[in-house]
Each structure stands twice: as C-alpha cells, then as structure tokens.
Amino acid sequence: LYFGADPAPYVSYQKQTNKSAQDWSDVINLTFQLHHAPDTTFLQDVAEVVDIDQWLRFFAMNEFLNNEEGGLILGDESGGDEYAMYRGATDTRFQMVPVDLDEMFNASTASLLRFAGVTALSRLFRHLDVLPEYGAAVWNVANTVLTPEAITDTLLKAWGPLATELRVSTVVNFFDARRNYINGRVHAPVTFSLPSGVVPAGTQLELEASGSLFVSSSTGTIYYTIDGTDPRSPGGDISTQAIQYTGQPIPINESMRVIARSYDSGRSLTVLPTPWSGTTVADYVANPQLVVTEVQYNPHSAEPGELMSPADSFEFIEVMNVGSTPLDLDGVPVSYTHLRAHETDSYLVCRLLLEK
C-alpha cells in the first residue's frame, strides 16, 4: 500500500542492509508508482523502479510451485505473509526474492493470478502490455525450466539417499498435473522450425502455433515481423508492420530478426484474459561476410616489463572477412582510434582499438 510521504507507516519493511540510514524513500516511491503513476506512462514509470521481467519470472515460478505462503499473494493490505525484495546500488530497480517456501505442491489447479486481489499487483499484471508476457513466463517455467527430467534430477541430487521412488514420483506427479492445467489455459508461444544462427541464403523458416484444450479449439493466427518490431502494438492492436503467417515458409535471403506472436480472440475471456501469446524471437544471419572473432573488453593491468599504459587503452574488437571478395568497411558504425590488420591463412583480420 501507499501510505503517503510520511515514512512512519513503512517501518514494517525491515531493511536487512543500510539499517542505520532509516531511509524508506525507495519503498515510498515504489508503492507510489504502482498505485498512482498516470495510466498513460504507468509502465514506463514502474519500469524505473521495478525489474518487471524479473517480477514476471518470480510470480510465474511462485504460481507454478503453488506456493501458499508467497507473501504478496495476499499483499500487505491485510493478512499478507512475509516477503522479500532486493534493491541494488547500481541497478536500483526492485527485484523479488524467494522466501518462506515451506508450503507448496498442494493444488495443481490453483489460479495463476492468486495475487490479483492485491491492488498494486493487479494493476501491473493485468496491464494489457504485461499480461501476454506473464502468460509467456508461466508457460516457459512449466515447459522449459521445470521439465520432468530437470525436476527428477534436482530431487535426486538434493535428497540423496532420502530420494525414494515414492517421494520423487509424488512431486513429479504434482508438477505433471500442474503443467497440464497450465498448458490447457495459457497461450503457448509460436514455435520456429529453426533456432537462431547462421543459415544459407534462401533458407525457409516455418512457424507453428498450438491451441489449448480448455481455452479454444483454434490455434490462433500467427503474426510476425522481420524488421525487429513487435507484431503487437502497445494496447493490444495488431501492428501495422505485422505480417499474417499463412503457412507459406518465410524465405531468409538476408540477415533478419523474426518476432512472432499468435492471436486468438477466443482467449480474451480466459484465466489470463489476453488474446496474445508472448513473443518468440530469433535472429538469422544469412551468408555472413564480416564476423566478430574476438572481443577484449577488460584487459589486465600492465605487469613488470610490459608497456605501462592504462589497461583500457587495449580494449579491441577483432573482425574477419570470411567471404571470398573484398569488403568495404566505410560507414561501419564503430568508433575506433587505430586499425591493425594482418592475414591469417586466406582471411584478412582487423583489430579496431576502441575510442574512449
């Protein structure tokens, strides 16, 4: 809750570091932005004080584990359990910290938005531009992070000789049921036929979307872009830059970033009320001619007998022309002080000493 500018009501936020400063201005600003930032700049204002991506991952994991004592599930308005946050000196955005994990794995069909009754969290997670990303975070935890293999391996290592077949299967069975519940209600991301990487020019990329049993019999319509923009406009409309995928493979004739989402209006009234999936992103480099082969970003200080000079004077990027024809570097957007070139086999290698 935001209690106003007076720090007295915030002393329940027990600082574990810098206690002597008795400074709650960061918490006051956090609660203010979550409650009172203008709608038009809400996400931008909150992103200044909250690591939103980390919060999405944290709450997605918390809900997948069905943590009944997740603190902010009930909030600090009434009846909330303890919870913890971290705020760094360099990155000053608040991050959530797991705490009080002694009551989990109870209900495989529990809601994925149990904290929606908390005013500040509801405003953030139900935001039209956040909800698809939260759904993607939940799906990712369930299907790529806590896979059956990963869970079994972790339990065997953690429990050692105490890892009986019954104990392991009890936990794995809960996660299987929880995963099935989630996959039946959360919009799965678009899948690409190729991972990011170097591909021959003319390579064909195929996209695929999947439906959810309890959400919609439709797999939705895939929209994608090849110019690095989101196919979903802020607010939820289809971007004017988006291309509808009709099933015809996408030719990769030049280097490009492909971003895709699936859209299904039938999902807008589901447990996570958004018609959009999260983004799937891949970068493809078609027949590269200029490649970065080495980066020296943190040279060690000079040792006895070596040239005495500031270590960062020797930061460099090494690039190589791997093509069969000369390559004009004029206009390459790298600021450098010296260029050193030498031949290695049949390639020309250039080191660009970075300008300070």
Side-chain angles (χ1 to χ4, degrees), residues 8-199:
Y10 297 92
V11 295
S12 61
Y13 290 89
Q14 300 175 14
K15 299 255 182 173
Q16 300 300 311
T17 57
N18 302 316
K19 296 180 181 179
S20 59
Q22 294 290 303
D23 180 9
W24 278 270
S25 59
D26 51 357
V27 175
I28 293 173
N29 186 37
L30 168 67
T31 55
F32 174 83
Q33 298 299 343
L34 286 171
H35 281 274
H36 298 297
D39 290 340
T40 53
T41 59
F42 174 72
L43 276 190
Q44 299 94 309
D45 294 340
V46 170
E48 291 291 322
V49 295
V50 168
D51 186 340
I52 295 178
D53 287 340
Q54 193 272 338
W55 280 37
L56 293 177
R57 294 192 301 272
F58 172 87
F59 282 99
M61 178 66 76
N62 214 50
E63 294 299 69
F64 184 61
L65 297 175
N66 183 226
N67 181 13
E68 297 288 352
E69 295 196 31
L72 282 176
I73 290 174
L74 299 177
D76 57 3
E77 300 173 14
S78 64
D81 206 346
E82 66 263 31
Y83 59 94
M85 297 184 292
Y86 169 79
R87 179 175 178 268
T90 302
D91 184 348
T92 59
R93 298 174 300 167
F94 278 93
Q95 298 186 10
M96 300 302 302
V97 178
V99 67
D100 199 6
L101 303 175
D102 58 355
E103 195 169 330
M104 302 185 295
F105 316 149
N106 292 313
S108 62
T109 59
S111 168
L112 302 176
L113 285 169
R114 289 178 298 160
F115 49 83
V118 181
T119 303
L121 292 180
S122 181
R123 189 184 184 199
L124 174 61
F125 280 81
R126 288 186 179 278
H127 192 283
L128 289 175
D129 293 333
V130 174
L131 202 53
E133 310 315 319
Y134 175 62
V138 172
W139 191 94
N140 184 61
V141 167
N143 293 278
T144 66
V145 178
L146 293 182
T147 62
E149 297 76 17
I151 293 168
T152 301
D153 184 60
T154 299
L155 292 177
L156 292 175
K157 290 179 180 178
W159 284 343
L162 300 178
T164 65
E165 182 177 350
L166 177 60
R167 284 182 170 178
V168 172
S169 64
T170 298
V171 177
V172 171
N173 290 342
F174 166 81
F175 281 122
D176 286 345
R178 186 66 169 152
R179 186 179 302 105
N180 289 337
Y181 174 83
I182 288 171
N183 289 349
R185 291 160 177 82
V186 173
H187 210 331
V190 176
T191 56
F192 288 11
S193 61
L194 297 169
S196 295
V198 177
V199 298

Side-chain angles (χ1 to χ4, degrees), residues 329 336-341 349-353:
L329 294 181
Y336 59 92
T337 57
H338 298 86
L339 183 146
R340 299 178 181 175
V349 180
C350 300
R351 285 191 173 182
L352 311 177
L353 298 182

Side-chain angles (χ1 to χ4, degrees), residues 37 158 244 295 320:
Q244 182 176 337
V295 176
M320 179 185 294

